Amino acid sequence: MLQLQNKILTLISFLLLFFVFTADLEAQSYITEEGYVEFKSSAPLLTFKGTSNHLTGLIDLDQNLVDFYVDLTTLDTGINLRNRHMRNSYLETDKFPFAEFTGSMNSIFDPESTGKQEVTVMGAFTIHGVTREMEITGTLERMSDEIELIATWTVLLEDHNIDRPSVIFYELAEEQEVTIKALLKLQND
Amino acid sequence: MKKTLSLIIVLSIISLFLAESAFAQLERTRVQEVRPVELTFMAPRNINLYTVEPLSPGELHYSIMHTFGRVDSGIRNLWGIDQGANVRFSFEYGLTERLSLGFGRSSLDKVVDFTGRYALLKQMSDNSIPVSVSLNTSAGINTSSFGFLAEDYTFSDRLNFTGSLLIARKITENFSLQVSPTVVHFNRVGQETNVADTDLNTYYAIGVATRYKIKPRTAVSGQYIPTLNGENTSYNLALGIDIETGGHVFQMFFTTSRALNDQYLIAGENGDFFDRQFRFGFNVNRLFNIRGR
């Protein structure tokens, strides 16, 4: 009786170890902490970009999870006073430090094939504390143990309660074109 | 044996959970936990006083300031507007994160001045540094024609100076306060100069500047500069509104003095604010980026 119990326990142990082991092996998550993000404002009199190289992101192919965020205090428009006003008067980064996107891929990404693949991602985009459901189309390209991601979409300031005084319509556009570009590396646990 | 196996089971289950959680959303972390406090004031200038708001290397701050005639001159003079404006324009350029140099010209006594600001301390978000402190200096040259005077007016006679220590704190998100002990010196004073006490060369004063944000891009600003010595000197009092429009900062105010630079604000005459002896004034501030990145 005791013998049998031990055998069962041994079996369970090995099965569990196997699961843990294979779960790690099959983990197909790619991460980056230095992706590029750009917010482009094209107003009648002024076009400018805010850019950052602190985009942090995860693409988990097993769980079909796409998760990105950027610390908005790292956005640089090229003029420091403009940055200060952007952080304090528009994005309010003390209260809302991050822009983030969490979602999943609608289309199947084949990690085995090379070349650019168009993918559509559905998820929640949050900036200035306001979350909107979004569908974003971009491309993924597999390069050995890395994936390059490029995506562009449009954010309306009004959708996220980012106040834009009407008198400055000529300097700050209501539509911000967001572009992200990141090289994500296969995560080794 | 049994114990060992049980341990393996427990550990395996724990690691399964751990592995699971590692696949979830990324943890949000800020790039810099502690940041310098920003926009203590809306511009490098609050009404007439320089502030601790620094320029970055390569930034050029242009400001044009005006004060008109006294409001109590009545509607016939459009409350002072008819009397024309005293104008000061100035350029200031950021050389480093801390040092900026500038020059300006005021129509009052036709003074050309050279200014320097140096940021000694910057207030930090975790209060490790509770205040921002800057050193502010100015040297002015009175370029008026003194040909009508019998005696000579040397270059040295024409010089005047300001030194002040700007100490500021953004006390709440909306309210900022700056206090600046100031010394002003005129190499030569007299009836021909627009100073309050024509026998006094050196003046001491405390500059107080306040800003209260009422909307994200609009603030009410105040200025109070009591001059501590001299006959006929009193205090400057001004009240204004700052509007930031995405590049420009407009400042409209009522002030008791014609003066637009430190030397004359402190040594010059002031009206009584509470007897309608104030003037309308406005500033336009604009920042340019000269050095491309």
Side-chain angles (χ1 to χ4, degrees), chain B residues 160-195:
Chain B
N160 49 64
F161 305 92
T162 291
S164 61
L165 199 63
L166 316 175
I167 305 161
R169 178 168 167 81
K170 196 175 192 175
I171 295 171
T172 68
E173 181 50 37
N174 295 328
F175 182 67
S176 301
L177 173 70
Q178 176 176 292
V179 175
S180 49
T182 308
V183 181
V184 164
H185 181 80
F186 282 75
N187 276 3
R188 176 169 169 176
V189 289
Q191 297 294 343
E192 69 283 2
T193 317
N194 276 297
V195 294

PDB file of all heavy atoms in Angstrom, chain B residues 160-195:
ATOM      1  N   ASN B 160      24.586 101.097 -13.766  1.00  0.00           N
ATOM      2  CA  ASN B 160      23.793 100.680 -12.604  1.00  0.00           C
ATOM      3  C   ASN B 160      23.738  99.154 -12.564  1.00  0.00           C
ATOM      4  O   ASN B 160      23.907  98.489 -13.596  1.00  0.00           O
ATOM      5  CB  ASN B 160      22.397 101.307 -12.649  1.00  0.00           C
ATOM      6  CG  ASN B 160      21.736 101.140 -13.997  1.00  0.00           C
ATOM      7  OD1 ASN B 160      21.461 100.026 -14.427  1.00  0.00           O
ATOM      8  ND2 ASN B 160      21.502 102.258 -14.700  1.00  0.00           N
ATOM      9  N   PHE B 161      23.545  98.617 -11.370  1.00  0.00           N
ATOM     10  CA  PHE B 161      23.699  97.164 -11.184  1.00  0.00           C
ATOM     11  C   PHE B 161      22.592  96.582 -10.300  1.00  0.00           C
ATOM     12  O   PHE B 161      22.064  97.280  -9.426  1.00  0.00           O
ATOM     13  CB  PHE B 161      25.038  96.849 -10.507  1.00  0.00           C
ATOM     14  CG  PHE B 161      26.224  97.426 -11.229  1.00  0.00           C
ATOM     15  CD1 PHE B 161      26.709  98.692 -10.888  1.00  0.00           C
ATOM     16  CD2 PHE B 161      26.832  96.725 -12.255  1.00  0.00           C
ATOM     17  CE1 PHE B 161      27.797  99.238 -11.555  1.00  0.00           C
ATOM     18  CE2 PHE B 161      27.925  97.263 -12.931  1.00  0.00           C
ATOM     19  CZ  PHE B 161      28.407  98.525 -12.576  1.00  0.00           C
ATOM     20  N   THR B 162      22.301  95.306 -10.524  1.00  0.00           N
ATOM     21  CA  THR B 162      21.412  94.554  -9.630  1.00  0.00           C
ATOM     22  C   THR B 162      22.045  93.205  -9.317  1.00  0.00           C
ATOM     23  O   THR B 162      22.624  92.574 -10.203  1.00  0.00           O
ATOM     24  CB  THR B 162      20.043  94.274 -10.290  1.00  0.00           C
ATOM     25  OG1 THR B 162      19.333  95.478 -10.411  1.00  0.00           O
ATOM     26  CG2 THR B 162      19.210  93.306  -9.457  1.00  0.00           C
ATOM     27  N   GLY B 163      21.934  92.795  -8.073  1.00  0.00           N
ATOM     28  CA  GLY B 163      22.274  91.421  -7.715  1.00  0.00           C
ATOM     29  C   GLY B 163      21.137  90.893  -6.859  1.00  0.00           C
ATOM     30  O   GLY B 163      20.698  91.563  -5.925  1.00  0.00           O
ATOM     31  N   SER B 164      20.620  89.721  -7.187  1.00  0.00           N
ATOM     32  CA  SER B 164      19.562  89.167  -6.341  1.00  0.00           C
ATOM     33  C   SER B 164      19.667  87.656  -6.295  1.00  0.00           C
ATOM     34  O   SER B 164      20.228  87.019  -7.196  1.00  0.00           O
ATOM     35  CB  SER B 164      18.176  89.601  -6.831  1.00  0.00           C
ATOM     36  OG  SER B 164      17.951  89.151  -8.140  1.00  0.00           O
ATOM     37  N   LEU B 165      19.142  87.110  -5.206  1.00  0.00           N
ATOM     38  CA  LEU B 165      19.110  85.669  -5.028  1.00  0.00           C
ATOM     39  C   LEU B 165      17.643  85.259  -5.096  1.00  0.00           C
ATOM     40  O   LEU B 165      16.839  85.685  -4.265  1.00  0.00           O
ATOM     41  CB  LEU B 165      19.714  85.322  -3.661  1.00  0.00           C
ATOM     42  CG  LEU B 165      20.175  83.875  -3.479  1.00  0.00           C
ATOM     43  CD1 LEU B 165      21.295  83.533  -4.442  1.00  0.00           C
ATOM     44  CD2 LEU B 165      20.637  83.662  -2.038  1.00  0.00           C
ATOM     45  N   LEU B 166      17.312  84.475  -6.117  1.00  0.00           N
ATOM     46  CA  LEU B 166      15.917  84.071  -6.299  1.00  0.00           C
ATOM     47  C   LEU B 166      15.699  82.733  -5.596  1.00  0.00           C
ATOM     48  O   LEU B 166      16.363  81.752  -5.910  1.00  0.00           O
ATOM     49  CB  LEU B 166      15.593  83.924  -7.790  1.00  0.00           C
ATOM     50  CG  LEU B 166      16.118  85.019  -8.726  1.00  0.00           C
ATOM     51  CD1 LEU B 166      15.824  84.663 -10.185  1.00  0.00           C
ATOM     52  CD2 LEU B 166      15.507  86.366  -8.387  1.00  0.00           C
ATOM     53  N   ILE B 167      14.798  82.735  -4.611  1.00  0.00           N
ATOM     54  CA  ILE B 167      14.520  81.506  -3.854  1.00  0.00           C
ATOM     55  C   ILE B 167      13.049  81.179  -4.067  1.00  0.00           C
ATOM     56  O   ILE B 167      12.173  81.973  -3.701  1.00  0.00           O
ATOM     57  CB  ILE B 167      14.801  81.710  -2.343  1.00  0.00           C
ATOM     58  CG1 ILE B 167      16.243  82.202  -2.148  1.00  0.00           C
ATOM     59  CG2 ILE B 167      14.557  80.415  -1.566  1.00  0.00           C
ATOM     60  CD1 ILE B 167      16.479  82.864  -0.808  1.00  0.00           C
ATOM     61  N   ALA B 168      12.776  80.040  -4.683  1.00  0.00           N
ATOM     62  CA  ALA B 168      11.388  79.754  -5.049  1.00  0.00           C
ATOM     63  C   ALA B 168      11.000  78.334  -4.692  1.00  0.00           C
ATOM     64  O   ALA B 168      11.837  77.432  -4.644  1.00  0.00           O
ATOM     65  CB  ALA B 168      11.185  79.973  -6.547  1.00  0.00           C
ATOM     66  N   ARG B 169       9.716  78.180  -4.435  1.00  0.00           N
ATOM     67  CA  ARG B 169       9.184  76.840  -4.189  1.00  0.00           C
ATOM     68  C   ARG B 169       7.799  76.726  -4.804  1.00  0.00           C
ATOM     69  O   ARG B 169       6.956  77.614  -4.649  1.00  0.00           O
ATOM     70  CB  ARG B 169       9.110  76.563  -2.683  1.00  0.00           C
ATOM     71  CG  ARG B 169       8.507  75.202  -2.362  1.00  0.00           C
ATOM     72  CD  ARG B 169       8.696  74.826  -0.902  1.00  0.00           C
ATOM     73  NE  ARG B 169       7.881  73.686  -0.535  1.00  0.00           N
ATOM     74  CZ  ARG B 169       8.182  72.408  -0.766  1.00  0.00           C
ATOM     75  NH1 ARG B 169       9.303  72.107  -1.393  1.00  0.00           N
ATOM     76  NH2 ARG B 169       7.368  71.447  -0.400  1.00  0.00           N
ATOM     77  N   LYS B 170       7.604  75.618  -5.522  1.00  0.00           N
ATOM     78  CA  LYS B 170       6.256  75.276  -5.973  1.00  0.00           C
ATOM     79  C   LYS B 170       5.635  74.587  -4.767  1.00  0.00           C
ATOM     80  O   LYS B 170       5.934  73.433  -4.477  1.00  0.00           O
ATOM     81  CB  LYS B 170       6.349  74.342  -7.178  1.00  0.00           C
ATOM     82  CG  LYS B 170       5.073  74.209  -7.967  1.00  0.00           C
ATOM     83  CD  LYS B 170       5.303  73.353  -9.220  1.00  0.00           C
ATOM     84  CE  LYS B 170       4.133  73.446 -10.170  1.00  0.00           C
ATOM     85  NZ  LYS B 170       4.395  72.731 -11.429  1.00  0.00           N
ATOM     86  N   ILE B 171       4.808  75.330  -4.030  1.00  0.00           N
ATOM     87  CA  ILE B 171       4.326  74.848  -2.738  1.00  0.00           C
ATOM     88  C   ILE B 171       3.242  73.807  -2.937  1.00  0.00           C
ATOM     89  O   ILE B 171       3.258  72.754  -2.299  1.00  0.00           O
ATOM     90  CB  ILE B 171       3.831  76.038  -1.887  1.00  0.00           C
ATOM     91  CG1 ILE B 171       5.046  76.933  -1.567  1.00  0.00           C
ATOM     92  CG2 ILE B 171       3.172  75.549  -0.594  1.00  0.00           C
ATOM     93  CD1 ILE B 171       4.702  78.243  -0.935  1.00  0.00           C
ATOM     94  N   THR B 172       2.302  74.098  -3.810  1.00  0.00           N
ATOM     95  CA  THR B 172       1.336  73.071  -4.216  1.00  0.00           C
ATOM     96  C   THR B 172       1.391  73.017  -5.737  1.00  0.00           C
ATOM     97  O   THR B 172       2.104  73.798  -6.361  1.00  0.00           O
ATOM     98  CB  THR B 172      -0.099  73.430  -3.782  1.00  0.00           C
ATOM     99  OG1 THR B 172      -0.533  74.568  -4.540  1.00  0.00           O
ATOM    100  CG2 THR B 172      -0.177  73.749  -2.301  1.00  0.00           C
ATOM    101  N   GLU B 173       0.632  72.103  -6.311  1.00  0.00           N
ATOM    102  CA  GLU B 173       0.584  71.983  -7.759  1.00  0.00           C
ATOM    103  C   GLU B 173       0.224  73.340  -8.386  1.00  0.00           C
ATOM    104  O   GLU B 173       0.690  73.693  -9.453  1.00  0.00           O
ATOM    105  CB  GLU B 173      -0.430  70.898  -8.141  1.00  0.00           C
ATOM    106  CG  GLU B 173      -0.580  70.623  -9.620  1.00  0.00           C
ATOM    107  CD  GLU B 173       0.733  70.401 -10.345  1.00  0.00           C
ATOM    108  OE1 GLU B 173       1.647  69.782  -9.762  1.00  0.00           O
ATOM    109  OE2 GLU B 173       0.859  70.861 -11.491  1.00  0.00           O
ATOM    110  N   ASN B 174      -0.607  74.121  -7.689  1.00  0.00           N
ATOM    111  CA  ASN B 174      -1.100  75.357  -8.280  1.00  0.00           C
ATOM    112  C   ASN B 174      -0.392  76.612  -7.786  1.00  0.00           C
ATOM    113  O   ASN B 174      -0.380  77.617  -8.469  1.00  0.00           O
ATOM    114  CB  ASN B 174      -2.605  75.515  -7.987  1.00  0.00           C
ATOM    115  CG  ASN B 174      -3.412  74.442  -8.667  1.00  0.00           C
ATOM    116  OD1 ASN B 174      -3.041  73.968  -9.741  1.00  0.00           O
ATOM    117  ND2 ASN B 174      -4.493  74.033  -8.041  1.00  0.00           N
ATOM    118  N   PHE B 175       0.189  76.564  -6.598  1.00  0.00           N
ATOM    119  CA  PHE B 175       0.715  77.788  -6.018  1.00  0.00           C
ATOM    120  C   PHE B 175       2.236  77.772  -5.901  1.00  0.00           C
ATOM    121  O   PHE B 175       2.818  76.844  -5.342  1.00  0.00           O
ATOM    122  CB  PHE B 175       0.095  78.018  -4.632  1.00  0.00           C
ATOM    123  CG  PHE B 175       0.553  79.298  -3.985  1.00  0.00           C
ATOM    124  CD1 PHE B 175       0.192  80.533  -4.526  1.00  0.00           C
ATOM    125  CD2 PHE B 175       1.357  79.279  -2.857  1.00  0.00           C
ATOM    126  CE1 PHE B 175       0.608  81.715  -3.941  1.00  0.00           C
ATOM    127  CE2 PHE B 175       1.787  80.462  -2.264  1.00  0.00           C
ATOM    128  CZ  PHE B 175       1.408  81.679  -2.811  1.00  0.00           C
ATOM    129  N   SER B 176       2.861  78.817  -6.456  1.00  0.00           N
ATOM    130  CA  SER B 176       4.318  78.976  -6.369  1.00  0.00           C
ATOM    131  C   SER B 176       4.639  80.331  -5.759  1.00  0.00           C
ATOM    132  O   SER B 176       3.930  81.307  -5.984  1.00  0.00           O
ATOM    133  CB  SER B 176       4.958  78.908  -7.751  1.00  0.00           C
ATOM    134  OG  SER B 176       4.675  77.684  -8.361  1.00  0.00           O
ATOM    135  N   LEU B 177       5.740  80.356  -5.006  1.00  0.00           N
ATOM    136  CA  LEU B 177       6.166  81.584  -4.339  1.00  0.00           C
ATOM    137  C   LEU B 177       7.667  81.765  -4.543  1.00  0.00           C
ATOM    138  O   LEU B 177       8.439  80.811  -4.443  1.00  0.00           O
ATOM    139  CB  LEU B 177       5.861  81.481  -2.842  1.00  0.00           C
ATOM    140  CG  LEU B 177       6.392  82.601  -1.939  1.00  0.00           C
ATOM    141  CD1 LEU B 177       5.630  83.902  -2.187  1.00  0.00           C
ATOM    142  CD2 LEU B 177       6.292  82.203  -0.474  1.00  0.00           C
ATOM    143  N   GLN B 178       8.070  82.984  -4.855  1.00  0.00           N
ATOM    144  CA  GLN B 178       9.493  83.292  -4.976  1.00  0.00           C
ATOM    145  C   GLN B 178       9.801  84.528  -4.149  1.00  0.00           C
ATOM    146  O   GLN B 178       9.086  85.519  -4.208  1.00  0.00           O
ATOM    147  CB  GLN B 178       9.853  83.530  -6.435  1.00  0.00           C
ATOM    148  CG  GLN B 178      11.309  83.963  -6.627  1.00  0.00           C
ATOM    149  CD  GLN B 178      11.669  84.095  -8.096  1.00  0.00           C
ATOM    150  OE1 GLN B 178      11.727  83.114  -8.814  1.00  0.00           O
ATOM    151  NE2 GLN B 178      11.916  85.309  -8.531  1.00  0.00           N
ATOM    152  N   VAL B 179      10.862  84.440  -3.370  1.00  0.00           N
ATOM    153  CA  VAL B 179      11.314  85.564  -2.556  1.00  0.00           C
ATOM    154  C   VAL B 179      12.750  85.867  -2.979  1.00  0.00           C
ATOM    155  O   VAL B 179      13.569  84.955  -3.082  1.00  0.00           O
ATOM    156  CB  VAL B 179      11.255  85.226  -1.052  1.00  0.00           C
ATOM    157  CG1 VAL B 179      11.831  86.358  -0.222  1.00  0.00           C
ATOM    158  CG2 VAL B 179       9.811  84.952  -0.635  1.00  0.00           C
ATOM    159  N   SER B 180      13.043  87.144  -3.227  1.00  0.00           N
ATOM    160  CA  SER B 180      14.385  87.466  -3.722  1.00  0.00           C
ATOM    161  C   SER B 180      14.966  88.707  -3.059  1.00  0.00           C
ATOM    162  O   SER B 180      14.609  89.830  -3.402  1.00  0.00           O
ATOM    163  CB  SER B 180      14.354  87.646  -5.247  1.00  0.00           C
ATOM    164  OG  SER B 180      13.309  88.509  -5.623  1.00  0.00           O
ATOM    165  N   PRO B 181      15.867  88.497  -2.082  1.00  0.00           N
ATOM    166  CA  PRO B 181      16.617  89.629  -1.526  1.00  0.00           C
ATOM    167  C   PRO B 181      17.460  90.263  -2.641  1.00  0.00           C
ATOM    168  O   PRO B 181      18.132  89.545  -3.387  1.00  0.00           O
ATOM    169  CB  PRO B 181      17.525  88.982  -0.472  1.00  0.00           C
ATOM    170  CG  PRO B 181      17.044  87.578  -0.310  1.00  0.00           C
ATOM    171  CD  PRO B 181      16.270  87.208  -1.524  1.00  0.00           C
ATOM    172  N   THR B 182      17.385  91.588  -2.740  1.00  0.00           N
ATOM    173  CA  THR B 182      17.985  92.264  -3.892  1.00  0.00           C
ATOM    174  C   THR B 182      18.764  93.505  -3.460  1.00  0.00           C
ATOM    175  O   THR B 182      18.337  94.231  -2.567  1.00  0.00           O
ATOM    176  CB  THR B 182      16.872  92.698  -4.882  1.00  0.00           C
ATOM    177  OG1 THR B 182      16.063  91.572  -5.177  1.00  0.00           O
ATOM    178  CG2 THR B 182      17.432  93.270  -6.169  1.00  0.00           C
ATOM    179  N   VAL B 183      19.902  93.714  -4.106  1.00  0.00           N
ATOM    180  CA  VAL B 183      20.664  94.952  -3.926  1.00  0.00           C
ATOM    181  C   VAL B 183      20.775  95.626  -5.283  1.00  0.00           C
ATOM    182  O   VAL B 183      21.060  94.976  -6.288  1.00  0.00           O
ATOM    183  CB  VAL B 183      22.091  94.661  -3.395  1.00  0.00           C
ATOM    184  CG1 VAL B 183      22.851  95.973  -3.206  1.00  0.00           C
ATOM    185  CG2 VAL B 183      22.037  93.888  -2.095  1.00  0.00           C
ATOM    186  N   VAL B 184      20.511  96.939  -5.295  1.00  0.00           N
ATOM    187  CA  VAL B 184      20.618  97.711  -6.529  1.00  0.00           C
ATOM    188  C   VAL B 184      21.588  98.859  -6.283  1.00  0.00           C
ATOM    189  O   VAL B 184      21.560  99.480  -5.217  1.00  0.00           O
ATOM    190  CB  VAL B 184      19.228  98.264  -6.936  1.00  0.00           C
ATOM    191  CG1 VAL B 184      19.344  99.373  -7.964  1.00  0.00           C
ATOM    192  CG2 VAL B 184      18.345  97.144  -7.457  1.00  0.00           C
ATOM    193  N   HIS B 185      22.451  99.119  -7.247  1.00  0.00           N
ATOM    194  CA  HIS B 185      23.399 100.227  -7.087  1.00  0.00           C
ATOM    195  C   HIS B 185      23.451 101.071  -8.361  1.00  0.00           C
ATOM    196  O   HIS B 185      23.568 100.549  -9.466  1.00  0.00           O
ATOM    197  CB  HIS B 185      24.802  99.698  -6.759  1.00  0.00           C
ATOM    198  CG  HIS B 185      25.791 100.797  -6.556  1.00  0.00           C
ATOM    199  ND1 HIS B 185      25.888 101.507  -5.378  1.00  0.00           N
ATOM    200  CD2 HIS B 185      26.718 101.345  -7.398  1.00  0.00           C
ATOM    201  CE1 HIS B 185      26.837 102.430  -5.505  1.00  0.00           C
ATOM    202  NE2 HIS B 185      27.345 102.346  -6.715  1.00  0.00           N
ATOM    203  N   PHE B 186      23.336 102.390  -8.177  1.00  0.00           N
ATOM    204  CA  PHE B 186      23.527 103.341  -9.270  1.00  0.00           C
ATOM    205  C   PHE B 186      24.843 104.076  -9.014  1.00  0.00           C
ATOM    206  O   PHE B 186      25.035 104.629  -7.926  1.00  0.00           O
ATOM    207  CB  PHE B 186      22.379 104.354  -9.315  1.00  0.00           C
ATOM    208  CG  PHE B 186      21.119 103.815  -9.934  1.00  0.00           C
ATOM    209  CD1 PHE B 186      20.308 102.940  -9.227  1.00  0.00           C
ATOM    210  CD2 PHE B 186      20.753 104.170 -11.222  1.00  0.00           C
ATOM    211  CE1 PHE B 186      19.147 102.444  -9.791  1.00  0.00           C
ATOM    212  CE2 PHE B 186      19.581 103.679 -11.796  1.00  0.00           C
ATOM    213  CZ  PHE B 186      18.779 102.805 -11.083  1.00  0.00           C
ATOM    214  N   ASN B 187      25.734 104.100 -10.003  1.00  0.00           N
ATOM    215  CA  ASN B 187      27.002 104.799  -9.807  1.00  0.00           C
ATOM    216  C   ASN B 187      26.779 106.294  -9.605  1.00  0.00           C
ATOM    217  O   ASN B 187      27.510 106.948  -8.868  1.00  0.00           O
ATOM    218  CB  ASN B 187      27.938 104.566 -10.998  1.00  0.00           C
ATOM    219  CG  ASN B 187      28.716 103.261 -10.853  1.00  0.00           C
ATOM    220  OD1 ASN B 187      28.500 102.513  -9.888  1.00  0.00           O
ATOM    221  ND2 ASN B 187      29.601 102.981 -11.809  1.00  0.00           N
ATOM    222  N   ARG B 188      25.754 106.822 -10.283  1.00  0.00           N
ATOM    223  CA  ARG B 188      25.464 108.245 -10.096  1.00  0.00           C
ATOM    224  C   ARG B 188      23.948 108.441 -10.124  1.00  0.00           C
ATOM    225  O   ARG B 188      23.268 107.856 -10.963  1.00  0.00           O
ATOM    226  CB  ARG B 188      26.116 109.045 -11.226  1.00  0.00           C
ATOM    227  CG  ARG B 188      25.791 110.529 -11.181  1.00  0.00           C
ATOM    228  CD  ARG B 188      26.663 111.295 -12.154  1.00  0.00           C
ATOM    229  NE  ARG B 188      26.193 112.661 -12.326  1.00  0.00           N
ATOM    230  CZ  ARG B 188      26.842 113.556 -13.062  1.00  0.00           C
ATOM    231  NH1 ARG B 188      27.954 113.223 -13.695  1.00  0.00           N
ATOM    232  NH2 ARG B 188      26.359 114.766 -13.194  1.00  0.00           N
ATOM    233  N   VAL B 189      23.450 109.166  -9.166  1.00  0.00           N
ATOM    234  CA  VAL B 189      22.021 109.483  -9.157  1.00  0.00           C
ATOM    235  C   VAL B 189      21.857 110.997  -9.177  1.00  0.00           C
ATOM    236  O   VAL B 189      22.795 111.745  -8.912  1.00  0.00           O
ATOM    237  CB  VAL B 189      21.300 108.914  -7.905  1.00  0.00           C
ATOM    238  CG1 VAL B 189      21.202 107.407  -7.983  1.00  0.00           C
ATOM    239  CG2 VAL B 189      22.004 109.346  -6.631  1.00  0.00           C
ATOM    240  N   GLY B 190      20.663 111.462  -9.527  1.00  0.00           N
ATOM    241  CA  GLY B 190      20.402 112.898  -9.567  1.00  0.00           C
ATOM    242  C   GLY B 190      19.047 113.138 -10.197  1.00  0.00           C
ATOM    243  O   GLY B 190      18.325 112.185 -10.524  1.00  0.00           O
ATOM    244  N   GLN B 191      18.700 114.399 -10.365  1.00  0.00           N
ATOM    245  CA  GLN B 191      17.406 114.755 -10.951  1.00  0.00           C
ATOM    246  C   GLN B 191      17.243 114.175 -12.355  1.00  0.00           C
ATOM    247  O   GLN B 191      16.122 113.951 -12.808  1.00  0.00           O
ATOM    248  CB  GLN B 191      17.261 116.290 -11.008  1.00  0.00           C
ATOM    249  CG  GLN B 191      17.266 116.982  -9.670  1.00  0.00           C
ATOM    250  CD  GLN B 191      16.039 116.632  -8.829  1.00  0.00           C
ATOM    251  OE1 GLN B 191      15.050 116.129  -9.345  1.00  0.00           O
ATOM    252  NE2 GLN B 191      16.112 116.876  -7.525  1.00  0.00           N
ATOM    253  N   GLU B 192      18.400 113.986 -13.040  1.00  0.00           N
ATOM    254  CA  GLU B 192      18.342 113.534 -14.432  1.00  0.00           C
ATOM    255  C   GLU B 192      18.052 112.029 -14.550  1.00  0.00           C
ATOM    256  O   GLU B 192      17.843 111.517 -15.648  1.00  0.00           O
ATOM    257  CB  GLU B 192      19.658 113.873 -15.161  1.00  0.00           C
ATOM    258  CG  GLU B 192      20.896 113.095 -14.724  1.00  0.00           C
ATOM    259  CD  GLU B 192      21.516 113.579 -13.392  1.00  0.00           C
ATOM    260  OE1 GLU B 192      20.966 114.511 -12.770  1.00  0.00           O
ATOM    261  OE2 GLU B 192      22.527 112.999 -12.974  1.00  0.00           O
ATOM    262  N   THR B 193      18.060 111.324 -13.404  1.00  0.00           N
ATOM    263  CA  THR B 193      17.811 109.883 -13.423  1.00  0.00           C
ATOM    264  C   THR B 193      16.446 109.603 -12.810  1.00  0.00           C
ATOM    265  O   THR B 193      16.053 110.289 -11.865  1.00  0.00           O
ATOM    266  CB  THR B 193      18.895 109.150 -12.591  1.00  0.00           C
ATOM    267  OG1 THR B 193      20.155 109.727 -12.902  1.00  0.00           O
ATOM    268  CG2 THR B 193      18.935 107.676 -12.904  1.00  0.00           C
ATOM    269  N   ASN B 194      15.742 108.607 -13.330  1.00  0.00           N
ATOM    270  CA  ASN B 194      14.414 108.277 -12.816  1.00  0.00           C
ATOM    271  C   ASN B 194      14.467 107.402 -11.573  1.00  0.00           C
ATOM    272  O   ASN B 194      13.979 106.275 -11.554  1.00  0.00           O
ATOM    273  CB  ASN B 194      13.589 107.584 -13.899  1.00  0.00           C
ATOM    274  CG  ASN B 194      12.920 108.588 -14.815  1.00  0.00           C
ATOM    275  OD1 ASN B 194      12.092 109.383 -14.382  1.00  0.00           O
ATOM    276  ND2 ASN B 194      13.315 108.567 -16.078  1.00  0.00           N
ATOM    277  N   VAL B 195      15.111 107.943 -10.517  1.00  0.00           N
ATOM    278  CA  VAL B 195      15.120 107.231  -9.238  1.00  0.00           C
ATOM    279  C   VAL B 195      14.315 108.060  -8.240  1.00  0.00           C
ATOM    280  O   VAL B 195      14.150 109.275  -8.404  1.00  0.00           O
ATOM    281  CB  VAL B 195      16.562 106.998  -8.700  1.00  0.00           C
ATOM    282  CG1 VAL B 195      17.322 106.054  -9.622  1.00  0.00           C
ATOM    283  CG2 VAL B 195      17.303 108.312  -8.541  1.00  0.00           C
TER     284      VAL B 195
END
